[in-house]
Amino acid sequence: MKLTKPRLALSCGILCISIFPILVKLKLAPGLISAFYRMFFAVILLLPYVIITKSFKLPKPKFLLLAMLCGVLFSSDVAVWNIAIQDSSATQASLLTNLSPLWVGIGSFFFLKVRPATNFWIGTAVSLFGMVTLVGFSFFMELNFDQAFLFAVLSGILYSIYLLVSKNVLSEVDVLSFMTISLLASSVYLGVLCYSLDQPFTGFSNTGWFVLVLQAVICQLCAWLSISYATQHMRATRVSLSLLSQAVITSILAWLFLEEQITLQMVFGGIILLFGIRITFYDKTISSKRLFSKD
């Protein structure tokens, strides 16, 4: 598989967002206010750059509104995902959120001109099987259908809608302009929401503030500039399914920094998951001979 610029950007973005669940697990700030500062600090850092370099271009009204909608969708996804993690477990929330490729595939089938290929559906089935293997079949069968469960599912649906809409916008708007508009909309939307719900905007420890800034720089700016660039040049279905590999990287990081155990079952599940992603990057008719050959 050739390492093109979009694929390299996607790999970089996946690595950056894989850090996010580790930071959320620290619980140094409420989930909703954490989502706000992730967007707010990111736009504060990005805005001076696009102004000084004159790289911001105001899109047509239609795409301006769609970019703003992307900001609301993405920030809502991050907010409910944070809450789902803090109200249940990162494992359950991650599993349900990562059902997003299924929603993207269904959305692409009904709303986009380019419908998912057969390889996408095969890769999705294999990857989801790998995801379930990664967290354990018994855990999957014992999911608690409470508010946290619903929020985690909602997170995946919101994220899939975001990918589909952003794919449309990025066909007409450059990445920096899109990110600027999206982050401004996210910050205003989450700021009003946090204020109306009496969320604490201050009172965090120095470590808490550092983690909030780290989320903005690494998990938002670096990650989503890279992923937006990849989305601009790749299929939305392929990008969404590739992001499943985040679960594998997050597990490794949790083992390194949070001393969480990695079992043989998790390793096996991760291999299956990545193999499913490999299938979606294969454009020709699947056969055992072609599948393992170089593109």
Side-chain angles (χ1 to χ4, degrees):
M1 195 166 59
K2 295 179 181 179
L3 193 62
T4 60
K5 287 184 179 179
R7 289 175 177 177
L8 184 61
L10 181 59
S11 299
C12 178
I14 290 172
L15 180 61
C16 290
I17 62 173
S18 298
I19 302 171
F20 185 64
I22 307 300
L23 301 178
V24 172
K25 284 184 180 181
L26 298 176
K27 295 184 179 180
L28 298 175
L32 193 58
I33 204 71
S34 175
F36 164 72
Y37 276 118
R38 171 174 167 174
M39 308 301 168
F40 179 68
F41 286 148
V43 76
I44 285 180
L45 294 171
L46 182 61
L47 199 56
Y49 175 79
V50 297
I51 293 175
I52 293 172
T53 60
K54 298 181 180 179
S55 54
F56 178 80
K57 299 176 182 177
L58 189 65
K60 297 177 182 179
K62 173 186 175 181
F63 293 102
L64 174 63
L65 291 175
L66 286 176
M68 293 171 65
L69 175 61
C70 285
V72 173
L73 287 170
F74 182 75
S75 57
S76 298
D77 162 40
V78 173
V80 298
W81 190 74
N82 284 2
I83 295 171
I85 289 177
Q86 294 186 350
D87 286 353
S88 59
S89 68
T91 304
Q92 175 174 308
S94 297
L95 171 63
L96 296 172
T97 297
N98 279 318
L99 292 175
S100 58
L102 178 61
W103 311 128
V104 171
I106 294 172
S108 297
F109 182 81
F110 286 106
F111 301 111
L112 295 184
K113 294 180 180 179
V114 180
R115 295 184 177 182
T118 302
N119 289 6
F120 168 79
W121 296 112
I122 296 174
T124 298
V126 173
S127 294
L128 290 178
F129 178 76
M131 179 65 68
V132 175
T133 303
L134 183 69
V135 301
F137 290 95
S138 59
F139 176 85
F140 183 76
M141 297 300 294
E142 296 171 1
L143 284 175
N144 185 15
F145 295 87
D146 55 8
Q147 177 180 291
F149 176 92
L150 296 176
F151 271 24
V153 173
L154 178 60
S155 174
I157 294 174
L158 288 169
Y159 178 64
S160 63
I161 298 173
Y162 165 79
L163 275 180
L164 292 171
V165 177
S166 65
K167 176 65 178 177
N168 183 29
V169 178
L170 287 167
S171 64
E172 299 289 336
V173 182
D174 66 278
V175 172
L176 283 176
S177 299
F178 168 76
M179 285 291 295
T180 303
I181 296 168
S182 176
L183 285 172
L184 280 170
S186 296
S187 299
V188 173
Y189 165 70
L190 285 178
V192 172
L193 186 61
C194 289
Y195 180 78
S196 63
L197 295 176
D198 294 324
Q199 292 290 301
F201 285 88
T202 58
F204 311 121
S205 64
N206 291 335
T207 304
W209 284 114
F210 174 74
V211 167
L212 291 174
V213 173
L214 197 64
Q215 289 180 21
V217 175
I218 303 298
C219 307
Q220 187 60 41
L221 281 181
C222 294
W224 288 99
L225 283 172
S226 300
I227 294 173
S228 294
Y229 174 80
T231 303
Q232 191 176 42
H233 296 87
M234 298 172 65
R235 299 172 190 169
T237 50
R238 181 171 288 177
V239 172
S240 68
L241 194 57
S242 298
L243 292 175
L244 282 177
S245 59
Q246 170 199 344
V248 179
I249 301 173
T250 298
S251 298
I252 296 173
L253 293 176
W255 172 66
L256 289 173
F257 298 106
L258 300 179
E259 298 183 354
E260 292 190 1
Q261 185 180 9
I262 295 182
T263 64
L264 184 60
Q265 175 181 310
M266 294 173 67
V267 173
F268 184 60
I271 292 173
I272 296 174
L273 189 153
L274 294 175
F275 180 68
I277 294 172
R278 172 67 179 92
I279 292 175
T280 68
F281 277 82
Y282 194 74
D283 295 321
K284 300 178 182 179
T285 303
I286 291 180
S287 67
S288 58
K289 181 179 179 180
R290 288 179 174 177
L291 188 60
F292 294 99
S293 63
K294 295 182 179 179
D295 291 345

